[in-house]
Amino acid sequence: SYELTQPPSVSVSPGQTASITCSGHKLGDKYACWYQQKPGQSPVLVIYQDAKRPSGIPERFSGSNSGNTATLTISGTQAMDEADYYCQAWDSTTGVFGTGTKVTVL
Amino acid sequence: QVQIQQWGAGLVKPSETLSLTCAVYGGSFSGYYWTWIRQPPGKGLEWIGEINHSGGTIYKPSLKSRVTMSVDTSKNQFSLEVRSVTAADTAVYYCARGYDYGGREIYFDSWGQGTLVTVSS
């Protein structure tokens, strides 16, 4: 079965840039989405189709996808961005989520 | 603005059936993939499967033998059953709306509030 691997944790200082990677076999041939989940809350879509932001998502969230790796970048990270982040893609007709990354804003 | 409300039993005995339902308010029911996703305590998200408004289903292969999804278009509701549950099925279960933006490229843009289901005797 298809797997998506993320680093367990990423730490970032306020105002700096956080990059979260998502690795999977030929992931660049697929589209990746990213979800943000804060403690006790349902996930929220922050990026779809590799790099597009839904309405209401701040411009500091951006994405890219090439080769075997998709990347979510948070520029000018704010304390409110502290959360778990999950990538997601499709293996044919089956949805697959990444292992998740906890972003800590120090 | 679509809202999704979910409910169901929070405690299920081993070997019995887990049942959850979601209701969709404020938006169209057709044209979307109504999806179930779960998250074991302290762990990541797992896609369980989806159903469309016509009742067409796709399930995660490893769960397919135990899962049934159904839809009631008259009430804008969809449901999940997981049979023969074990402790490994303990999780927060989410329902979500899947939007296909092209060629089965689907993102989940609205989520229910989540229901913690514990499997225990």
Side-chain angles (χ1 to χ4, degrees):
Chain A
S1 61
Y2 194 74
E3 295 182 352
L4 294 173
T5 302
Q6 300 177 231
S9 62
V10 167
S11 296
V12 60
S13 299
Q16 298 305 302
T17 297
S19 294
I20 306 162
T21 58
C22 172
S23 298
H25 180 63
K26 294 186 176 180
L27 180 56
D29 291 345
K30 308 175 187 293
Y31 282 129
C33 297
W34 290 89
Y35 296 87
Q36 175 195 69
Q37 186 181 33
K38 296 182 179 180
Q41 297 185 18
S42 302
V44 173
L45 177 72
V46 294
I47 292 288
Y48 69 97
Q49 202 171 353
D50 294 339
K52 295 185 177 180
R53 281 179 291 104
S55 174
I57 299 302
E59 291 185 7
R60 64 180 180 273
F61 288 90
S62 62
S64 63
N65 186 13
S66 180
N68 294 317
T69 304
T71 303
L72 174 68
T73 302
I74 311 173
S75 303
T77 306
Q78 300 183 9
M80 68 173 66
D81 301 328
E82 187 163 285
D84 294 328
Y85 291 83
Y86 294 90
C87 59
Q88 186 263 319
W90 291 90
D91 179 25
S92 184
T93 57
T94 300
V96 179
F97 284 96
T99 50
T101 298
K102 181 176 182 59
V103 171
T104 301
V105 182
L106 299 173
Chain B
Q1 180 76 1
V2 64
Q3 291 188 354
I4 304 176
Q5 187 170 359
Q6 60 181 104
W7 65 88
L11 180 63
V12 182
K13 290 182 169 57
S15 80
E16 296 191 346
T17 297
L18 173 164
S19 296
L20 298 170
T21 298
C22 282
V24 180
Y25 302 100
S28 174
F29 195 71
S30 61
Y32 295 97
Y33 294 90
W34 301 101
T35 304
W36 290 94
I37 294 159
R38 69 181 181 180
Q39 184 173 36
K43 297 188 178 181
L45 301 169
E46 179 184 24
W47 183 88
I48 300 171
E50 66 186 37
I51 187 167
N52 62 29
H53 72 281
S54 300
T57 56
I58 300 177
Y59 302 139
K60 182 173 182 175
S62 61
L63 296 171
K64 187 175 182 179
S65 64
R66 298 193 296 125
V67 167
T68 299
M69 296 180 187
S70 59
V71 65
D72 184 342
T73 56
S74 68
K75 297 180 180 179
N76 282 9
Q77 294 179 1
F78 59 107
S79 298
L80 169 72
E81 289 190 344
V82 181
R83 296 175 293 280
S84 305
V85 297
T86 70
D89 295 308
T90 293
V92 174
Y93 285 74
Y94 295 99
C95 54
R97 186 179 78 170
Y99 175 74
D100 186 348
Y101 57 92
R104 266 206 67 86
E105 294 298 336
I106 297 167
Y107 60 69
F108 309 116
D109 61 353
S110 294
W111 295 64
Q113 77 274 23
T115 300
L116 174 61
V117 178
T118 302
V119 179
S120 175
S121 55

